[in-house]
Amino acid sequence: MLYDDFSQFFLSLLIWWGFLLVFQRLYYRYPQKNTWKKDIVLTLIQSLIVLCILLPILSFLLK
């Protein structure tokens, strides 16, 4: 298993979410302005995809 407990998964989720949110807000700032609500939801979905799909596949391939 990739994560030992829920707190480790939750901490990883918060780190990825913050990282992706910063880049989402910086990259898509101009010429159009996205709302905070849209960016928060979008980066949450991206973080869950990274943690639940991509990282387990990557860890399986690198074993």
Side-chain angles (χ1 to χ4, degrees), residues 32-43:
Q32 64 203 23
K33 283 199 159 206
N34 287 343
T35 62
W36 277 98
K37 184 178 179 181
K38 180 181 176 184
D39 285 343
I40 288 172
V41 170
L42 183 64
T43 55

Side-chain angles (χ1 to χ4, degrees), residues 4 15 20 22 29 42 46 49 60-61:
D4 293 333
I15 290 170
L20 291 172
V22 166
R29 190 171 189 174
L42 183 64
Q46 290 172 344
I49 289 172
F60 177 75
L61 292 175

